Amino acid sequence: APDEAAFQARIDEGIKIEPKDEMPDAYRKTLVRQISQHAHSEIVGQLPEGNWLTRAPTLERKLILLAKVQDEAGHGLYLYSAAETLGASRDDMQADLLSGKAKYSSIFNYPTLTWADIGAIGWLVDGAAIINQIPICRCSYGPYARAMVRVCKEESFHQRQGFDILHKLCTGTQEQKDMAQDALNRWWWPSVMMHGPRDADSVNTAQSMQWKIKLFTNDELRQKYIDQTVPQADFLGLTIPDPDLKWNEETGHYDFGEPDWDEFWNVLKGYGPCNQERLQARIDAHEGGAWVREAAAAHAEKRPRRREAAAA
Amino acid sequence: APDEAAFQARIDEGIKIEPKDEMPDAYRKTLVRQISQHAHSEIVGQLPEGNWLTRAPTLERKLILLAKVQDEAGHGLYLYSAAETLGASRDDMQADLLSGKAKYSSIFNYPTLTWADIGAIGWLVDGAAIINQIPICRCSYGPYARAMVRVCKEESFHQRQGFDILHKLCTGTQEQKDMAQDALNRWWWPSVMMHGPRDADSVNTAQSMQWKIKLFTNDELRQKYIDQTVPQADFLGLTIPDPDLKWNEETGHYDFGEPDWDEFWNVLKGYGPCNQERLQARIDAHEGGAWVREAAAAHAEKRPRRREAAAA
Amino acid sequence: MEEARYEYLLQLGDSDLILGQRLAALCGHGPALEEDIAMSNVALDLIGQARFWLSYAAEIKGGDADEDTLAFLRDAPAYRNVLLVEQPNGDYGHTIVRQCFYDVWHFFVLQALMQSTDTRIADIAAKSIKEVQYHVERSGDWVVRLGDGTEESHRRTQAAVDKLWRYTGELFRSSEAEQALVEAGIAVDVATLYEPWRAHMQALFEEATLELPGDQPMQCGGKHGEHTEHLGYVLAEMQHLQRSYPGARW
Amino acid sequence: MEEARYEYLLQLGDSDLILGQRLAALCGHGPALEEDIAMSNVALDLIGQARFWLSYAAEIKGGDADEDTLAFLRDAPAYRNVLLVEQPNGDYGHTIVRQCFYDVWHFFVLQALMQSTDTRIADIAAKSIKEVQYHVERSGDWVVRLGDGTEESHRRTQAAVDKLWRYTGELFRSSEAEQALVEAGIAVDVATLYEPWRAHMQALFEEATLELPGDQPMQCGGKHGEHTEHLGYVLAEMQHLQRSYPGARW
């Protein structure tokens, strides 16, 4: 179609697409799906870390964690707003999350079992997320790119905080070191799978790359993540649970083993350790808060009427 | 009335009144009120101790406490049964408890704040209860007297267990001794008030004594309780929080100070520290269990019909 | 006097901390995203303020005391927070009413403490009061919205008021430690705050179409360590890690 | 072998203990007085059995280990209970279904362990099995009553089955420690218990008009210390006193 060709030409020139610009339906839909999925991930992502808010080991750590979880809610807000510029409504997007129709990042279906997991999420999960998200700061859709700039800045701050938690553990007692290693053992492979299925098994990648919604393939991002993370693990004195992991002089990258893709698909299909709990927590919050939202709406409608009455 | 005179004569002769015997309405009503109130006290009495079931400091203590709280439910059962022999229905009695119409012992409206409180309840609260209840083993109404024999036997076992908890604390660390003293400080006066208001302020005592439902006055029971308990406190090395407490050579009893009767009446009127929580816990259990009781009833009705159908 | 000052700082710090802890548990579970964020802000402020008070208390105590040993290694009877803040979150009506009762009192306390002869206390109060000014506005707004919202929200909010009212009396009753400090111009005489607090509540409740409960016996005890049954559970959860790995640094 | 035996005894003891702890929390809150009493009996039995297993484990561990140091001074990753027993009580349908899944498995395990070449294990199993026989009858009766009771009770109970089913796979999967002991005739090969367990459930569910869920990925991990998020909270509460007053005797 001639319109699509013109659209693609603008993208190829590096012109940002803005909300009022014309755009192909498929572009719009792909973006709404991806941005809302990203927003949902921020919201559901509050839960595993939130699980340690009441149990953080110092007041300072408690404050840092609380601020972090709060940032995630904020990211959710920017991202829902970015999706709204494409005509999606927040209510609809949330309904899709609660009905199970929309996805969120599978990583949040794993449990946080010790304090070290809070460190591991910051270091590994935020680390992998940043690798995925930094390219999106240059993506073709303006509002998404701009939201992502803000998100990435905060995420990299969170990543350092997570690393700092683990660093403290790794320079602590033997029990603390064991706790850190155990967390790495459990979070390593799920974080490696955060970049999505192998390129060979990934759908839609080509179109998204052409539209500059996606700038690197899953496998490229995964390699970048591993290359960045292995030296950090070495620095901490922790062992990455992958016997096949080794530096490859020739490629200048780390070679690594194959994740358990069966697990990946199982978790995606709803059979992870915490899928039910995470969704239920969101449903409970939504349903338990219904009367509060209704009250706020009812009051907002009353207030101007009262003012008019008072003025009359 | 001639019937009442004959009834009183039987009581005076020491003949036990049994369910099918004729009895004055007022006698029946007084007993139903007193027995059901006693049953309610056992049921609500599960709650303050139940508060430490999940936190008992050793497995053995956990088992002992669990068995004790279970015994209290059992006492509730015997006592409801005793009241049922007088024509009261358990459903009605429980409805009166939940609506706030029926009372239970005010002592259970105090909170259990430390493990020492579990010792103090056994030692002081069960101790005071036994003093109140032993005479009832000889009361004029047969089923009540017999239920009370069983209750008292178990209660005295509980009292020794409570004393043992405190004894362990009092021979432990300074922190544990302080915990024990703090528990005595908080439970002493409420336990002294368990025998009811001063005789001068007590209604119905004369009639109940004539009917041999009550065999001693409140003040007599209170004196007995204090005389028994002070040496036990001495043995533990604890100080009873009553500056007026002292041995009176002349009377052969302890003199003691005046409890805070305003507090007594406030708690009775519903303003104790835990009145709302205790009643709410019972209401929640009752309402939350409604569907279970309905299911059991529905199934009980289905089962014989199924059997008939199978036999046909 | 140092013992009294220590106790007083615990009262201030523990109340902030326990309320912050209660609010932190709501994070990610609020009735709307914006609410979640706003409530986390309040929790952040309160825990931040608790750190100021507890750090000062720890300096007075000396030895190796610090904000964390005070927060994580005292059992319930050594906590000095008012009973109001340890009450469960309940539904959002309870959360908001608890917050409103506390915020308005908190504001008046800090306002008075800005004049404390203890300049460290005055400084902390001055630093904190702007945050608390915002808390007052926010919880007050919500009381009005919920009270004068729907029939259901009105009913729930009035129930919360009726349930939590009995914990407000303690806010205006001084502990012995406090009384000693009032005379030295260090602490505020909380009894003097009752009238302005009540006037504020009366105006707010009128707008919210809610009723202030009548006189009734009040629950006290928090300031000398006699708490409700809730605090033990709050602390068991909060302190588990520090208690389980004694001496570890985090 | 001693290390494997120790781990195995923890598996047995921890599962009994955590389920007993869950049930103890219900005491005084059950749907009827008689139920409260019966459920407390089950809790008493389970905690009593846990003491046997943990005492034996403590003897193997040596030093100053005893049943209480094992129960109160191990953090979640050192606990070896199956995930099923740490799941929340939920409504009574969840409590009963969790119980039924466990009881039937527990019975078959003890029945096999009565033949253990470790006579201490065989003795404990023999002592415990009569109690567990009663548990099996009781929870089975209730599954039938609730499943084939009212429409509401059927719906709730089926929901509990669907929710808890994913924790049953672990019951029939041996840990490494277990496998080593199976070969020595000390432990039971739990894989062999699956068919009888499933047959029992099938018959029971048919009577209860409930459906057994289809095949699905199962949640495992408890036997090597990877639990659900619930266990940390259970232990924080259970261990608070022992952790807060180190070295005290109770």
Side-chain angles (χ1 to χ4, degrees), chain B residues 110-130:
Chain B
Y110 290 87
T112 50
L113 300 182
T114 73
W115 174 248
D117 289 18
I118 301 306
I121 288 184
W123 173 39
L124 301 174
V125 176
D126 289 346
I130 292 167

Side-chain angles (χ1 to χ4, degrees), chain D residues 5 28 43 49 56 64 72 83 85-86 93 101 121 130 142 149 175 186 201 206-207 209 212 218 223:
Chain D
R5 199 188 308 251
Q49 293 174 24
Y56 186 18
D64 50 10
F72 294 97
L83 303 178
V85 298
E86 70 200 37
F101 286 162
I121 289 179
K130 273 175 231 152
W142 270 105
S175 65
I186 294 171
M201 285 302 153
E206 199 165 312
E207 193 182 346
T209 71
L212 282 185
M218 288 284 168
K223 290 179 179 183

Side-chain angles (χ1 to χ4, degrees), chain B residues 10-260:
Chain B
R10 296 185 61 201
I11 286 185
D12 293 341
E13 277 174 60
I15 297 172
K16 286 268 180 284
I17 309 301
E18 293 298 334
K20 289 186 176 163
D21 294 345
E22 281 186 36
M23 60 189 90
D25 254 17
Y27 177 84
R28 186 186 297 273
K29 270 191 193 154
T30 302
L31 271 173
V32 167
R33 200 192 61 237
Q34 183 174 331
I35 299 174
S36 68
Q37 196 164 312
H38 191 160
H40 298 330
S41 299
E42 297 284 355
I43 300 309
V44 176
Q46 295 184 278
L47 300 171
E49 290 174 291
N51 186 39
W52 284 86
L53 280 171
T54 57
R55 295 181 291 173
T58 71
L59 295 182
E60 189 180 10
R61 293 282 182 205
K62 191 188 289 283
L63 279 184
I64 292 171
L65 181 59
L66 186 51
K68 182 188 172 184
V69 178
Q70 189 194 33
D71 282 347
E72 285 158 9
H75 297 175
L77 270 187
Y78 321 149
L79 287 161
Y80 283 127
S81 299
E84 281 171 330
T85 64
L86 292 157
S89 90
R90 195 164 125 192
D91 284 350
D92 289 347
M93 291 186 274
Q94 292 197 324
D96 285 348
L97 169 65
L98 301 184
S99 73
K101 190 180 153 199
K103 297 287 174 205
Y104 55 86
S105 178
S106 273
I107 194 82
F108 301 120
N109 291 317
Y110 290 87
T112 50
L113 300 182
T114 73
W115 174 248
D117 289 18
I118 301 306
I121 288 184
W123 173 39
L124 301 174
V125 176
D126 289 346
I130 292 167
I131 298 277
N132 286 348
Q133 291 164 10
I134 281 187
I136 305 178
C137 300
R138 296 181 284 123
C139 84
S140 60
Y141 188 61
Y144 189 24
R146 289 189 290 274
M148 209 45 57
V149 170
R150 196 163 157 192
V151 168
C152 280
K153 215 162 101 185
E154 292 181 358
E155 298 269 16
S156 78
F157 194 58
H158 297 161
Q159 202 215 357
R160 280 202 298 279
Q161 291 167 342
F163 190 80
D164 184 62
I165 287 174
L166 288 178
H167 188 244
K168 195 86 181 179
L169 295 179
C170 289
T171 54
T173 66
Q174 187 59 44
E175 272 179 315
Q176 288 178 302
K177 281 176 217 166
D178 293 346
M179 205 184 263
Q181 180 64 54
D182 168 65
L184 173 58
N185 293 348
R186 286 182 288 107
W187 289 93
W188 174 252
W189 288 112
S191 75
V192 166
M193 294 192 275
M194 279 179 70
H195 309 283
R198 282 175 300 208
D199 290 349
D201 304 326
S202 181
V203 287
N204 299 329
T205 298
Q207 178 63 79
S208 287
M209 289 188 82
Q210 202 180 354
W211 278 334
K212 293 194 184 161
I213 293 174
K214 202 173 167 88
L215 287 97
F216 297 96
T217 71
N218 295 351
D219 287 338
E220 286 168 346
L221 293 166
R222 188 165 9 253
Q223 185 68 57
K224 205 178 280 225
Y225 169 65
I226 289 174
D227 288 347
Q228 169 186 297
T229 308
V230 174
Q232 296 171 350
D234 290 344
F235 178 84
L236 290 171
L238 296 176
T239 306
I240 287 177
D242 177 358
D244 297 327
L245 186 78
K246 64 168 183 293
W247 178 250
N248 184 326
E249 279 292 348
E250 239 168 88
T251 60
H253 293 291
Y254 283 92
D255 292 338
F256 54 93
E258 200 62 47
D260 180 352

Side-chain angles (χ1 to χ4, degrees), chain A:
Chain A
D3 285 358
E4 298 213 358
F7 180 78
Q8 187 61 49
R10 295 186 62 202
I11 286 185
D12 293 341
E13 277 174 59
I15 297 171
K16 286 268 180 284
I17 309 301
E18 294 298 334
K20 291 187 176 164
D21 295 345
E22 281 186 37
M23 61 188 89
D25 254 17
Y27 177 84
R28 186 185 299 271
K29 270 191 194 155
T30 301
L31 271 172
V32 167
R33 200 191 63 237
Q34 184 175 329
I35 299 174
S36 67
Q37 195 164 310
H38 191 160
H40 299 330
S41 299
E42 297 284 356
I43 300 308
V44 176
Q46 294 184 279
L47 299 171
E49 290 174 291
N51 185 41
W52 283 86
L53 280 172
T54 57
R55 295 181 291 172
T58 71
L59 295 182
E60 188 179 10
R61 293 283 183 205
K62 191 188 289 285
L63 280 184
I64 292 172
L65 181 59
L66 187 51
K68 181 188 173 184
V69 178
Q70 188 195 33
D71 282 347
E72 285 158 10
H75 297 174
L77 270 187
Y78 320 149
L79 287 160
Y80 283 129
S81 300
E84 282 171 329
T85 63
L86 292 157
S89 90
R90 195 165 125 192
D91 283 351
D92 289 348
M93 290 186 275
Q94 291 196 325
D96 285 349
L97 170 64
L98 301 184
S99 73
K101 190 179 152 199
K103 295 288 175 205
Y104 54 87
S105 178
S106 273
I107 194 83
F108 300 121
N109 291 316
Y110 290 87
T112 51
L113 300 181
T114 72
W115 173 248
D117 290 18
I118 301 306
I121 288 183
W123 174 39
L124 300 175
V125 176
D126 288 347
I130 292 168
I131 297 277
N132 287 346
Q133 291 165 11
I134 280 186
I136 305 177
C137 299
R138 298 183 282 123
C139 84
S140 60
Y141 187 61
Y144 190 24
R146 289 188 292 272
M148 209 45 59
V149 170
R150 196 163 157 192
V151 168
C152 281
K153 215 163 101 186
E154 292 180 359
E155 297 269 16
S156 78
F157 193 58
H158 297 161
Q159 202 214 357
R160 280 201 300 278
Q161 291 167 343
F163 190 79
D164 184 62
I165 287 175
L166 287 177
H167 188 244
K168 196 86 180 180
L169 296 178
C170 289
T171 54
T173 67
Q174 187 58 46
E175 271 179 314
Q176 289 178 302
K177 281 175 216 165
D178 293 346
M179 204 183 264
Q181 180 65 54
D182 168 65
L184 174 57
N185 293 348
R186 286 181 288 104
W187 289 93
W188 174 252
W189 289 112
S191 75
V192 166
M193 293 192 276
M194 279 179 69
H195 309 282
R198 281 175 301 208
D199 290 350
D201 303 325
S202 183
V203 286
N204 299 327
T205 298
Q207 177 63 78
S208 286
M209 290 187 82
Q210 201 180 354
W211 278 334
K212 292 194 184 161
I213 294 174
K214 203 175 166 88
L215 287 96
F216 296 96
T217 72
N218 295 351
D219 287 339
E220 286 167 348
L221 293 166
R222 187 164 10 252
Q223 186 67 57
K224 204 178 281 226
Y225 169 65
I226 289 174
D227 288 347
Q228 169 187 297
T229 308
V230 175
Q232 296 171 351
D234 291 343
F235 179 83
L236 290 171
L238 296 175
T239 306
I240 288 177
D242 178 358
D244 297 326
L245 185 77
K246 62 167 185 292
W247 177 250
N248 184 327
E249 280 293 346
E250 240 167 86
T251 60
H253 294 291
Y254 283 93
D255 293 340
F256 55 93
E258 200 62 48
D260 180 352
W261 292 109
D262 286 345
E263 177 179 314
F264 177 83
W265 297 112
N266 272 338
V267 178
L268 201 71
K269 276 182 275 181
Y271 296 111
C274 301
N275 297 57
Q276 293 191 25
E277 285 78 3
R278 300 295 182 237
L279 207 52
Q280 195 59 50
R282 290 312 308 161
I283 291 170
D284 290 347
H286 185 76
E287 292 179 353
W291 70 271
V292 177
R293 296 188 302 274
E294 283 158 20
H299 181 76
E301 201 173 307
K302 277 180 194 177
R303 188 169 275 186
R305 274 193 279 135
R306 287 265 162 77
R307 293 228 175 103
E308 278 166 36

